[in-house]
Amino acid sequence: MSDTPEDLRHEIRQWLADNAPGDWRDQSTHEGFVASQRAWFAQLVAAGYAVPHWPGEWPGGGRSLAEQKIIYEELARADTPRLLLSFVSTYHAAATLMECASKEQAAHYLPRILKGETWCQGFSEPGAGSDLAAIRTKAVRRGDVYVVSGQKIWSTMAQYADMCLLLVRTSSEGAKQAGMTYLLMDMTLPGVSVRPIHQIQGDEEFAEIFLDEVEIPVSQRVGEEGAGWAVAQATLASERGLTLMELSYRMRGAMTRLVSEIAGTDRTEDRGVLRDLGALATRVDAVCALADRFLQKRMEDEEKIGDASVVKLAYARCLRAWAEMGVTLSGLSGQLHAPITYGDLNSGNWMADFMNSYAWTIAGGSDEVQRNIIAERMLGMPREPRGWKLEAGQ
Protein backbone atom coordinates (compact mmCIF):
# COMPACT_ATOMS: atom_id res chain seq x y z
CA MET A 1 0.00 0.00 0.00
CA SER A 2 1.03 3.62 -0.45
CA ASP A 3 2.76 5.39 2.43
CA THR A 4 0.76 8.63 2.38
CA PRO A 5 -2.63 9.76 1.06
CA GLU A 6 -0.93 11.74 -1.68
CA ASP A 7 1.11 8.69 -2.67
CA LEU A 8 -2.13 6.74 -2.98
CA ARG A 9 -3.73 9.52 -5.05
CA HIS A 10 -0.73 9.60 -7.37
CA GLU A 11 -0.68 5.80 -7.61
CA ILE A 12 -4.34 5.42 -8.58
CA ARG A 13 -4.26 8.46 -10.87
CA GLN A 14 -1.36 6.90 -12.75
CA TRP A 15 -3.13 3.56 -12.96
CA LEU A 16 -6.33 5.16 -14.22
CA ALA A 17 -4.41 7.05 -16.90
CA ASP A 18 -3.40 3.68 -18.31
CA ASN A 19 -6.52 1.64 -17.62
CA ALA A 20 -9.69 3.76 -17.34
CA PRO A 21 -12.15 2.66 -20.05
CA GLY A 22 -13.01 5.56 -22.30
CA ASP A 23 -15.82 3.96 -24.29
CA TRP A 24 -18.00 2.61 -21.50
CA ARG A 25 -21.05 4.68 -22.44
CA ASP A 26 -21.09 3.08 -25.89
CA GLN A 27 -20.96 -0.36 -24.26
CA SER A 28 -23.66 0.31 -21.70
CA THR A 29 -26.54 -0.78 -23.87
CA HIS A 30 -28.47 -3.85 -22.82
CA GLU A 31 -26.22 -6.03 -24.94
CA GLY A 32 -22.87 -4.77 -23.71
CA PHE A 33 -23.59 -3.70 -20.16
CA VAL A 34 -22.90 -6.94 -18.29
CA ALA A 35 -19.70 -7.75 -20.17
CA SER A 36 -18.26 -4.24 -19.78
CA GLN A 37 -19.17 -4.07 -16.09
CA ARG A 38 -17.59 -7.45 -15.34
CA ALA A 39 -14.45 -6.57 -17.28
CA TRP A 40 -14.04 -3.28 -15.39
CA PHE A 41 -14.68 -4.96 -12.03
CA ALA A 42 -12.03 -7.62 -12.80
CA GLN A 43 -9.52 -4.88 -13.64
CA LEU A 44 -10.23 -3.10 -10.36
CA VAL A 45 -9.95 -6.34 -8.37
CA ALA A 46 -6.59 -7.11 -9.95
CA ALA A 47 -5.35 -3.59 -9.19
CA GLY A 48 -6.65 -3.67 -5.61
CA TYR A 49 -9.22 -0.87 -5.95
CA ALA A 50 -12.50 -2.83 -6.08
CA VAL A 51 -13.08 -3.56 -2.39
CA PRO A 52 -11.01 -1.13 -0.31
CA HIS A 53 -13.74 -1.33 2.37
CA TRP A 54 -13.18 -5.07 2.95
CA PRO A 55 -10.80 -6.26 5.71
CA GLY A 56 -7.08 -6.34 5.10
CA GLU A 57 -6.82 -10.06 4.35
CA TRP A 58 -8.61 -9.49 1.06
CA PRO A 59 -6.91 -8.08 -2.07
CA GLY A 60 -6.97 -4.29 -1.83
CA GLY A 61 -8.85 -4.37 1.48
CA GLY A 62 -8.04 -2.78 4.81
CA ARG A 63 -8.08 0.82 3.56
CA SER A 64 -9.02 3.56 5.99
CA LEU A 65 -12.14 5.63 5.25
CA ALA A 66 -9.86 8.49 4.20
CA GLU A 67 -8.06 6.22 1.73
CA GLN A 68 -11.36 4.89 0.40
CA LYS A 69 -12.46 8.48 -0.16
CA ILE A 70 -9.36 9.14 -2.27
CA ILE A 71 -9.99 6.07 -4.40
CA TYR A 72 -13.61 7.05 -5.10
CA GLU A 73 -12.64 10.67 -5.75
CA GLU A 74 -10.13 9.56 -8.37
CA LEU A 75 -12.52 7.08 -9.98
CA ALA A 76 -15.06 9.90 -10.30
CA ARG A 77 -12.46 12.38 -11.57
CA ALA A 78 -11.40 9.94 -14.30
CA ASP A 79 -15.06 9.54 -15.37
CA THR A 80 -14.97 5.76 -15.01
CA PRO A 81 -18.17 3.69 -14.98
CA ARG A 82 -19.74 3.05 -11.58
CA LEU A 83 -19.79 -0.59 -10.53
CA LEU A 84 -23.55 -0.89 -10.75
CA LEU A 85 -23.63 -4.63 -11.39
CA SER A 86 -21.43 -5.57 -8.43
CA PHE A 87 -22.66 -2.95 -5.96
CA VAL A 88 -24.95 -5.30 -4.01
CA SER A 89 -22.30 -8.04 -4.13
CA THR A 90 -19.41 -6.00 -2.76
CA TYR A 91 -21.39 -3.99 -0.20
CA HIS A 92 -24.66 -5.58 0.96
CA ALA A 93 -23.76 -9.24 0.41
CA ALA A 94 -20.19 -8.87 1.63
CA ALA A 95 -21.21 -7.04 4.81
CA THR A 96 -23.86 -9.65 5.58
CA LEU A 97 -21.44 -12.52 5.02
CA MET A 98 -18.67 -10.92 7.08
CA GLU A 99 -20.81 -9.79 10.00
CA CYS A 100 -23.60 -12.35 10.32
CA ALA A 101 -22.94 -15.50 8.27
CA SER A 102 -21.17 -18.67 9.35
CA LYS A 103 -17.46 -19.09 8.64
CA GLU A 104 -18.32 -21.73 6.05
CA GLN A 105 -20.76 -19.44 4.24
CA ALA A 106 -18.29 -16.53 4.22
CA ALA A 107 -15.41 -18.74 3.04
CA HIS A 108 -17.57 -20.11 0.23
CA TYR A 109 -19.11 -16.91 -1.12
CA LEU A 110 -16.67 -14.04 -0.58
CA PRO A 111 -14.02 -15.38 -3.01
CA ARG A 112 -16.77 -15.96 -5.57
CA ILE A 113 -17.82 -12.31 -5.29
CA LEU A 114 -14.28 -11.22 -6.10
CA LYS A 115 -14.39 -13.49 -9.13
CA GLY A 116 -17.47 -11.63 -10.37
CA GLU A 117 -20.44 -13.49 -8.90
CA THR A 118 -23.43 -11.14 -9.01
CA TRP A 119 -25.89 -10.78 -6.12
CA CYS A 120 -29.23 -9.03 -5.84
CA GLN A 121 -31.38 -8.10 -2.85
CA GLY A 122 -34.83 -9.59 -2.28
CA PHE A 123 -36.27 -7.32 0.40
CA SER A 124 -38.98 -5.09 -1.17
CA GLU A 125 -42.42 -6.47 -1.88
CA PRO A 126 -45.56 -5.20 -3.64
CA GLY A 127 -47.83 -3.49 -1.15
CA ALA A 128 -45.20 -3.25 1.58
CA GLY A 129 -43.82 0.13 0.45
CA SER A 130 -40.83 1.14 2.56
CA ASP A 131 -42.06 -0.92 5.53
CA LEU A 132 -39.54 -3.76 5.56
CA ALA A 133 -41.36 -5.49 8.42
CA ALA A 134 -44.49 -5.82 6.26
CA ILE A 135 -43.06 -8.52 3.99
CA ARG A 136 -45.33 -11.49 3.29
CA THR A 137 -43.15 -13.90 1.27
CA LYS A 138 -43.55 -17.09 3.27
CA ALA A 139 -41.03 -19.83 4.07
CA VAL A 140 -42.08 -23.13 5.63
CA ARG A 141 -39.46 -25.54 6.90
CA ARG A 142 -39.74 -29.11 5.64
CA GLY A 143 -36.83 -31.19 6.89
CA ASP A 144 -33.57 -29.75 5.58
CA VAL A 145 -35.13 -27.13 3.32
CA TYR A 146 -37.27 -24.01 3.51
CA VAL A 147 -40.06 -23.98 0.94
CA VAL A 148 -40.51 -20.37 -0.16
CA SER A 149 -43.40 -18.77 -2.04
CA GLY A 150 -44.06 -15.09 -2.69
CA GLN A 151 -42.89 -12.12 -4.72
CA LYS A 152 -40.16 -9.52 -4.50
CA ILE A 153 -39.98 -6.26 -6.44
CA TRP A 154 -37.55 -3.43 -7.19
CA SER A 155 -34.61 -5.85 -7.01
CA THR A 156 -31.75 -4.06 -8.72
CA MET A 157 -30.48 -6.05 -11.72
CA ALA A 158 -31.90 -9.33 -10.43
CA GLN A 159 -32.08 -10.56 -14.02
CA TYR A 160 -28.28 -10.86 -14.03
CA ALA A 161 -27.85 -12.14 -10.48
CA ASP A 162 -26.38 -15.49 -9.49
CA MET A 163 -27.44 -15.20 -5.83
CA CYS A 164 -30.06 -13.32 -3.83
CA LEU A 165 -30.15 -11.95 -0.27
CA LEU A 166 -33.66 -13.07 0.58
CA LEU A 167 -35.79 -11.93 3.50
CA VAL A 168 -38.78 -14.20 4.22
CA ARG A 169 -41.47 -14.63 6.84
CA THR A 170 -41.30 -17.84 8.86
CA SER A 171 -43.78 -16.77 11.52
CA SER A 172 -46.67 -14.33 11.84
CA GLU A 173 -46.77 -14.40 15.62
CA GLY A 174 -45.59 -11.54 17.81
CA ALA A 175 -44.09 -8.31 16.49
CA LYS A 176 -43.77 -8.01 12.72
CA GLN A 177 -39.99 -7.89 12.97
CA ALA A 178 -39.82 -11.09 15.03
CA GLY A 179 -40.95 -13.60 12.42
CA MET A 180 -38.45 -12.86 9.67
CA THR A 181 -35.64 -15.15 8.48
CA TYR A 182 -32.68 -14.38 6.22
CA LEU A 183 -31.72 -16.80 3.42
CA LEU A 184 -29.10 -16.96 0.65
CA MET A 185 -30.87 -18.07 -2.51
CA ASP A 186 -29.35 -19.50 -5.67
CA MET A 187 -31.17 -17.74 -8.51
CA THR A 188 -31.07 -20.89 -10.67
CA LEU A 189 -33.20 -22.96 -8.27
CA PRO A 190 -36.45 -24.42 -9.67
CA GLY A 191 -39.39 -22.13 -8.96
CA VAL A 192 -37.43 -18.87 -9.29
CA SER A 193 -38.46 -16.63 -12.16
CA VAL A 194 -37.38 -13.05 -12.85
CA ARG A 195 -39.16 -10.37 -14.86
CA PRO A 196 -37.31 -7.10 -15.60
CA ILE A 197 -39.27 -3.89 -15.02
CA HIS A 198 -39.23 -1.62 -18.06
CA GLN A 199 -38.72 1.93 -16.82
CA ILE A 200 -39.86 5.22 -18.30
CA GLN A 201 -36.46 6.03 -19.82
CA GLY A 202 -36.16 2.59 -21.45
CA ASP A 203 -33.85 1.19 -18.79
CA GLU A 204 -34.40 -2.11 -17.00
CA GLU A 205 -32.44 -1.53 -13.82
CA PHE A 206 -34.98 -3.30 -11.59
CA ALA A 207 -36.80 -6.60 -11.72
CA GLU A 208 -39.51 -8.61 -10.03
CA ILE A 209 -38.67 -12.02 -8.55
CA PHE A 210 -41.42 -14.64 -8.36
CA LEU A 211 -40.95 -17.55 -5.96
CA ASP A 212 -43.06 -20.67 -6.39
CA GLU A 213 -42.36 -23.45 -3.90
CA VAL A 214 -38.62 -22.77 -4.05
CA GLU A 215 -36.63 -25.20 -1.89
CA ILE A 216 -33.70 -23.48 -0.17
CA PRO A 217 -31.42 -25.62 2.03
CA VAL A 218 -31.48 -24.74 5.72
CA SER A 219 -27.69 -24.48 5.49
CA GLN A 220 -28.26 -21.29 3.46
CA ARG A 221 -29.87 -19.51 6.38
CA VAL A 222 -27.94 -16.57 7.89
CA GLY A 223 -28.37 -16.33 11.64
CA GLU A 224 -31.12 -18.06 13.57
CA GLU A 225 -34.63 -18.63 12.29
CA GLY A 226 -36.69 -15.55 13.13
CA ALA A 227 -33.60 -13.32 13.48
CA GLY A 228 -33.72 -11.97 9.94
CA TRP A 229 -34.59 -8.42 10.99
CA ALA A 230 -31.27 -7.96 12.79
CA VAL A 231 -29.32 -9.47 9.87
CA ALA A 232 -31.13 -7.17 7.44
CA GLN A 233 -30.02 -4.12 9.44
CA ALA A 234 -26.39 -5.18 8.92
CA THR A 235 -27.08 -5.47 5.20
CA LEU A 236 -28.67 -2.05 4.92
CA ALA A 237 -25.97 -0.30 6.96
CA SER A 238 -23.18 -1.49 4.68
CA GLU A 239 -22.71 1.41 2.27
CA ARG A 240 -20.80 3.43 4.86
CA GLY A 241 -21.56 6.82 3.37
CA LEU A 242 -19.11 6.70 0.48
CA THR A 243 -21.83 6.33 -2.14
CA LEU A 244 -23.21 9.84 -1.62
CA MET A 245 -19.73 11.30 -1.79
CA GLU A 246 -18.91 9.41 -5.00
CA LEU A 247 -22.18 10.43 -6.64
CA SER A 248 -21.71 14.08 -5.68
CA TYR A 249 -18.19 14.14 -7.10
CA ARG A 250 -19.36 12.47 -10.30
CA MET A 251 -22.02 15.18 -10.70
CA ARG A 252 -19.38 17.88 -10.26
CA GLY A 253 -17.15 16.20 -12.85
CA ALA A 254 -20.11 16.01 -15.22
CA MET A 255 -20.47 19.81 -15.17
CA THR A 256 -18.11 19.69 -18.16
CA ARG A 257 -20.98 18.19 -20.16
CA LEU A 258 -23.03 21.33 -19.55
CA VAL A 259 -20.09 23.53 -20.51
CA SER A 260 -19.67 21.53 -23.73
CA GLU A 261 -23.35 22.02 -24.55
CA ILE A 262 -22.95 25.79 -24.18
CA ALA A 263 -19.69 25.85 -26.14
CA GLY A 264 -21.41 24.16 -29.06
CA THR A 265 -24.03 26.88 -29.41
CA ASP A 266 -24.24 30.65 -29.84
CA ARG A 267 -24.99 31.04 -26.13
CA THR A 268 -21.44 31.50 -24.93
CA GLU A 269 -22.20 35.19 -24.26
CA ASP A 270 -25.77 34.66 -23.08
CA ARG A 271 -25.85 36.19 -19.59
CA GLY A 272 -28.91 34.27 -18.57
CA VAL A 273 -27.35 30.92 -19.45
CA LEU A 274 -24.04 31.82 -17.80
CA ARG A 275 -25.86 32.99 -14.67
CA ASP A 276 -27.80 29.72 -14.45
CA LEU A 277 -24.61 27.72 -15.00
CA GLY A 278 -22.82 29.63 -12.26
CA ALA A 279 -25.70 29.15 -9.84
CA LEU A 280 -25.82 25.43 -10.56
CA ALA A 281 -22.03 25.05 -10.19
CA THR A 282 -22.25 26.70 -6.78
CA ARG A 283 -25.07 24.39 -5.79
CA VAL A 284 -23.16 21.30 -6.94
CA ASP A 285 -20.10 22.44 -4.97
CA ALA A 286 -22.32 22.87 -1.91
CA VAL A 287 -23.58 19.28 -2.23
CA CYS A 288 -19.99 18.03 -2.50
CA ALA A 289 -19.11 20.04 0.60
CA LEU A 290 -22.06 18.52 2.47
CA ALA A 291 -20.95 15.03 1.44
CA ASP A 292 -17.37 15.79 2.51
CA ARG A 293 -18.51 17.08 5.90
CA PHE A 294 -20.74 14.05 6.42
CA LEU A 295 -17.85 11.69 5.67
CA GLN A 296 -15.54 13.67 7.94
CA LYS A 297 -18.03 13.31 10.78
CA ARG A 298 -18.17 9.60 10.16
CA MET A 299 -14.37 9.31 10.16
CA GLU A 300 -14.27 11.20 13.47
CA ASP A 301 -17.14 9.12 14.88
CA GLU A 302 -19.30 12.23 15.24
CA GLU A 303 -22.10 11.27 12.84
CA LYS A 304 -25.60 12.00 14.10
CA ILE A 305 -28.99 10.74 13.01
CA GLY A 306 -30.18 12.82 10.08
CA ASP A 307 -26.74 13.81 8.73
CA ALA A 308 -26.99 11.34 5.85
CA SER A 309 -30.57 12.44 5.14
CA VAL A 310 -29.43 16.05 4.63
CA VAL A 311 -26.90 14.97 2.00
CA LYS A 312 -29.29 12.57 0.30
CA LEU A 313 -32.03 15.21 0.07
CA ALA A 314 -29.67 17.89 -1.26
CA TYR A 315 -28.11 15.52 -3.79
CA ALA A 316 -31.43 14.31 -5.22
CA ARG A 317 -32.76 17.84 -5.73
CA CYS A 318 -29.49 19.14 -7.21
CA LEU A 319 -29.22 16.18 -9.59
CA ARG A 320 -32.64 16.99 -11.01
CA ALA A 321 -31.62 20.62 -11.58
CA TRP A 322 -28.39 19.48 -13.26
CA ALA A 323 -30.18 17.14 -15.66
CA GLU A 324 -32.93 19.68 -16.33
CA MET A 325 -30.37 22.24 -17.42
CA GLY A 326 -28.79 19.68 -19.73
CA VAL A 327 -32.11 18.99 -21.42
CA THR A 328 -32.75 22.73 -21.80
CA LEU A 329 -29.34 23.47 -23.29
CA SER A 330 -29.32 20.53 -25.67
CA GLY A 331 -32.55 21.60 -27.38
CA LEU A 332 -34.47 19.14 -29.50
CA SER A 333 -31.49 16.84 -30.05
CA GLY A 334 -31.19 16.30 -26.31
CA GLN A 335 -34.74 15.03 -26.15
CA LEU A 336 -34.18 12.22 -28.64
CA HIS A 337 -34.59 8.80 -27.13
CA ALA A 338 -31.22 7.28 -27.94
CA PRO A 339 -30.52 3.58 -27.25
CA ILE A 340 -30.62 3.55 -23.51
CA THR A 341 -27.67 3.07 -21.28
CA TYR A 342 -27.94 1.46 -17.92
CA GLY A 343 -28.84 3.87 -15.18
CA ASP A 344 -26.46 6.26 -13.53
CA LEU A 345 -26.60 10.01 -13.56
CA ASN A 346 -24.20 10.60 -16.39
CA SER A 347 -25.25 8.26 -19.16
CA GLY A 348 -24.52 10.59 -22.09
CA ASN A 349 -28.24 10.90 -22.84
CA TRP A 350 -29.72 14.09 -21.33
CA MET A 351 -33.36 13.03 -21.45
CA ALA A 352 -32.55 9.65 -19.87
CA ASP A 353 -30.51 11.39 -17.17
CA PHE A 354 -33.38 13.78 -16.50
CA MET A 355 -35.97 11.03 -16.13
CA ASN A 356 -33.56 8.92 -14.08
CA SER A 357 -32.95 11.85 -11.73
CA TYR A 358 -36.48 11.42 -10.37
CA ALA A 359 -35.58 7.91 -9.22
CA TRP A 360 -33.18 9.46 -6.73
CA THR A 361 -36.08 11.09 -4.92
CA ILE A 362 -37.16 7.53 -4.00
CA ALA A 363 -34.05 5.32 -4.05
CA GLY A 364 -32.39 4.79 -0.69
CA GLY A 365 -35.34 6.34 1.14
CA SER A 366 -37.81 8.79 -0.40
CA ASP A 367 -37.57 12.56 0.03
CA GLU A 368 -40.59 12.37 2.34
CA VAL A 369 -38.86 9.81 4.57
CA GLN A 370 -35.68 11.94 4.65
CA ARG A 371 -37.67 15.04 5.62
CA ASN A 372 -39.40 13.14 8.42
CA ILE A 373 -36.03 11.93 9.76
CA ILE A 374 -34.63 15.47 9.69
CA ALA A 375 -37.75 17.00 11.26
CA GLU A 376 -38.42 14.42 13.95
CA ARG A 377 -35.01 13.01 14.85
CA MET A 378 -32.69 15.90 14.02
CA LEU A 379 -34.80 18.96 14.84
CA GLY A 380 -36.96 17.35 17.52
CA MET A 381 -40.28 18.27 15.91
CA PRO A 382 -43.47 16.31 16.74
CA ARG A 383 -43.78 12.90 15.08
CA GLU A 384 -46.08 12.49 12.10
CA PRO A 385 -49.43 11.13 13.36
CA ARG A 386 -49.96 7.47 12.49
CA GLY A 387 -52.73 6.79 10.01
CA TRP A 388 -53.05 10.46 9.04
CA LYS A 389 -54.72 11.04 5.66
CA LEU A 390 -55.40 14.13 3.62
CA GLU A 391 -59.05 15.08 4.00
CA ALA A 392 -61.17 16.48 1.20
CA GLY A 393 -60.56 20.20 0.85
CA GLN A 394 -57.19 20.21 2.64
Side-chain angles (χ1 to χ4, degrees):
M1 289 190 181
S2 304
D3 294 330
T4 69
E6 286 312 305
D7 287 342
L8 173 62
R9 191 180 297 281
H10 177 74
E11 170 198 301
I12 186 172
R13 192 169 290 188
Q14 187 66 43
W15 184 83
L16 287 168
D18 298 330
N19 294 281
D23 59 348
W24 61 270
R25 289 186 177 85
D26 296 332
Q27 298 178 26
S28 294
T29 59
H30 287 256
E31 293 75 20
F33 171 76
V34 174
S36 64
Q37 281 274 304
R38 286 184 171 155
W40 179 229
F41 178 68
Q43 279 187 273
L44 289 171
V45 170
Y49 302 131
V51 289
H53 55 292
W54 286 24
E57 63 264 32
W58 297 96
R63 296 283 191 184
S64 67
L65 207 50
E67 290 174 323
Q68 294 174 46
K69 180 174 183 287
I70 289 173
I71 291 173
Y72 286 110
E73 280 177 353
E74 291 303 314
L75 290 171
R77 188 195 63 81
D79 192 28
T80 59
R82 289 186 67 218
L83 292 175
L84 297 171
L85 189 66
S86 52
F87 188 81
V88 171
S89 311
T90 57
Y91 280 92
H92 302 88
T96 306
L97 291 165
M98 291 175 188
E99 295 181 27
C100 306
S102 67
K103 290 182 180 178
E104 292 76 17
Q105 289 170 331
H108 179 73
Y109 286 116
L110 288 171
R112 296 162 71 103
I113 288 175
L114 284 185
K115 290 179 181 177
E117 186 171 75
T118 301
W119 289 59
C120 66
Q121 190 169 298
F123 283 11
S124 299
E125 293 189 9
S130 58
D131 185 2
L132 187 61
I135 67 165
R136 291 184 295 180
T137 293
K138 183 181 293 184
V140 178
R141 183 165 178 171
R142 294 178 187 164
D144 294 332
V145 300
Y146 285 103
V147 181
V148 181
S149 293
Q151 180 186 352
K152 300 293 178 177
I153 195 169
W154 307 122
S155 296
T156 304
M157 299 187 190
Q159 63 269 46
Y160 306 119
D162 305 295
M163 294 292 298
C164 178
L165 302 168
L166 188 68
L167 203 56
V168 298
R169 182 160 296 286
T170 46
S171 172
S172 57
E173 296 181 1
K176 291 193 296 183
Q177 293 86 350
M180 300 164 70
T181 296
Y182 202 110
L183 302 173
L184 308 177
M185 182 178 73
D186 185 334
M187 293 292 283
T188 64
L189 286 174
V192 178
S193 57
V194 181
R195 184 168 66 192
I197 298 172
H198 195 68
Q199 296 162 234
I200 187 173
Q201 77 273 37
D203 201 347
E204 290 179 349
E205 185 179 353
F206 308 104
E208 293 174 284
I209 304 174
F210 299 91
L211 307 162
D212 182 15
E213 299 278 308
V214 180
E215 296 187 357
I216 302 176
V218 173
S219 61
Q220 295 294 79
R221 188 185 70 211
V222 179
E224 298 298 321
E225 182 174 304
W229 177 261
V231 181
Q233 301 315 303
T235 301
L236 296 172
S238 62
E239 295 175 24
R240 305 181 67 185
L242 283 163
T243 300
L244 285 171
M245 188 222 72
E246 182 191 3
L247 289 169
S248 302
Y249 274 69
R250 285 184 180 276
M251 182 166 59
R252 181 156 67 184
M255 288 296 291
T256 57
R257 286 184 59 205
L258 293 175
V259 174
S260 296
E261 290 290 350
I262 296 172
T265 68
D266 57 358
R267 296 174 172 175
T268 54
E269 303 297 328
D270 187 320
R271 292 186 177 183
V273 169
L274 297 178
R275 179 197 60 213
D276 291 345
L277 180 68
L280 181 62
T282 303
R283 190 172 172 182
V284 171
D285 275 346
V287 173
C288 290
L290 279 174
D292 275 342
R293 190 172 68 175
F294 166 66
L295 204 60
Q296 189 66 33
K297 282 187 174 182
R298 180 158 287 194
M299 286 189 282
E300 295 172 356
D301 201 22
E302 294 181 354
E303 179 187 351
K304 296 179 180 176
I305 293 175
D307 286 343
S309 297
V310 171
V311 185
K312 167 68 169 52
L313 198 59
Y315 170 77
R317 295 169 68 85
C318 189
L319 176 65
R320 192 187 302 176
W322 174 84
E324 184 177 4
M325 187 170 186
V327 172
T328 302
L329 290 173
S330 60
L332 288 175
S333 64
Q335 299 181 39
L336 292 176
H337 196 278
I340 193 64
T341 56
Y342 255 95
D344 217 348
L345 62 97
N346 189 11
S347 69
N349 182 331
W350 281 118
M351 184 51 73
D353 288 348
F354 176 65
M355 289 190 284
N356 200 38
S357 69
Y358 279 81
W360 280 98
T361 62
I362 302 173
S366 68
D367 281 4
E368 290 76 13
V369 170
Q370 306 304 329
R371 289 192 185 98
N372 274 355
I373 292 172
I374 293 169
E376 296 171 6
R377 308 187 68 177
M378 202 173 194
L379 303 178
M381 296 176 71
R383 292 182 65 85
E384 182 181 35
R386 289 184 179 275
W388 181 86
K389 293 182 179 178
L390 193 66
E391 301 293 339
Q394 285 187 310

